[in-house]
Amino acid sequence: MEKQVSKQVRKQFVDLLGDTSNRGTWIPRAYVLALGGYDISAVFSALLFWSKHGKRQDGLFWKSDKELGDELGIEPHRVRYHREKLVEQGLFTKVLKRAQGSPTNHYRPNYGPILDLLIDVVDSQSDAWNEMEFLYDRYVSQG
């Protein structure tokens, strides 16, 4: 069940997630606390980043495990493992579509479950909450 969050706050949080994801090797502590490790958090962060930079109108995007692995310094089979875990947790939807003429898995973030997960973490961890407030102030409230 999704938490009750206004549409404006939800949009600002979604913008924050995309804007702060995949900035070098920095991964918000809230991601690590919520997901239980750095590698899965790096994959999560990269997927959020690419979801905001896709060209499709339906919000779906694709990025190969090798491409993500090269970007993150993680072996492609580990990227695939973590990406599948994120899908199993309901944080991303996977859809088979054609890309460059071949059947390719496309992904889309499920922001409701993502926000629920992160809100639970930041509510229980004051350090994570302080970090997310800092990010909100820096990237959302100042435009």
Side-chain angles (χ1 to χ4, degrees):
M1 179 167 70
E2 288 187 22
K3 306 252 184 286
Q4 295 299 315
V5 179
S6 74
K7 286 183 181 180
Q8 179 183 5
V9 170
R10 184 174 295 276
K11 182 188 179 325
Q12 289 172 334
F13 207 85
V14 167
D15 289 343
L16 169 68
L17 291 173
D19 290 343
T20 61
S21 295
N22 206 26
R23 294 191 180 266
T25 57
W26 179 78
I27 300 166
R29 184 168 183 249
Y31 293 5
V32 177
L33 291 170
L35 299 169
Y38 286 102
D39 285 357
I40 193 169
S41 298
V43 171
F44 176 78
S45 183
L47 292 175
L48 285 174
F49 173 83
W50 286 112
S51 72
K52 291 199 61 160
H53 294 86
K55 296 176 183 168
R56 295 179 58 99
Q57 293 298 318
D58 59 8
L60 291 168
F61 68 96
W62 67 274
K63 190 85 165 162
S64 75
D65 296 330
K66 181 177 180 346
E67 289 171 318
L68 278 177
D70 289 347
E71 289 175 12
L72 301 171
I74 300 173
E75 293 293 324
H77 72 279
R78 297 297 300 162
V79 170
R80 182 172 39 261
Y81 172 80
H82 291 306
R83 192 183 331 218
E84 290 304 317
K85 286 293 182 190
L86 294 169
V87 169
E88 287 173 15
Q89 293 175 24
L91 302 177
F92 287 85
T93 297
K94 177 171 77 171
V95 179
L96 187 63
K97 297 261 187 192
R98 292 187 95 59
Q100 299 178 343
S102 299
T104 304
N105 287 324
H106 287 64
Y107 298 88
R108 177 181 352 177
N110 296 322
Y111 288 113
I114 289 171
L115 292 175
D116 289 348
L117 178 69
L118 293 175
I119 288 169
D120 286 346
V121 167
V122 297
D123 278 349
S124 67
Q125 300 282 329
S126 61
D127 289 345
W129 181 247
N130 291 337
E131 180 184 35
M132 294 308 282
E133 281 183 326
F134 166 77
L135 294 172
Y136 177 84
D137 290 342
R138 182 168 180 187
Y139 293 105
V140 177
S141 67
Q142 296 181 12

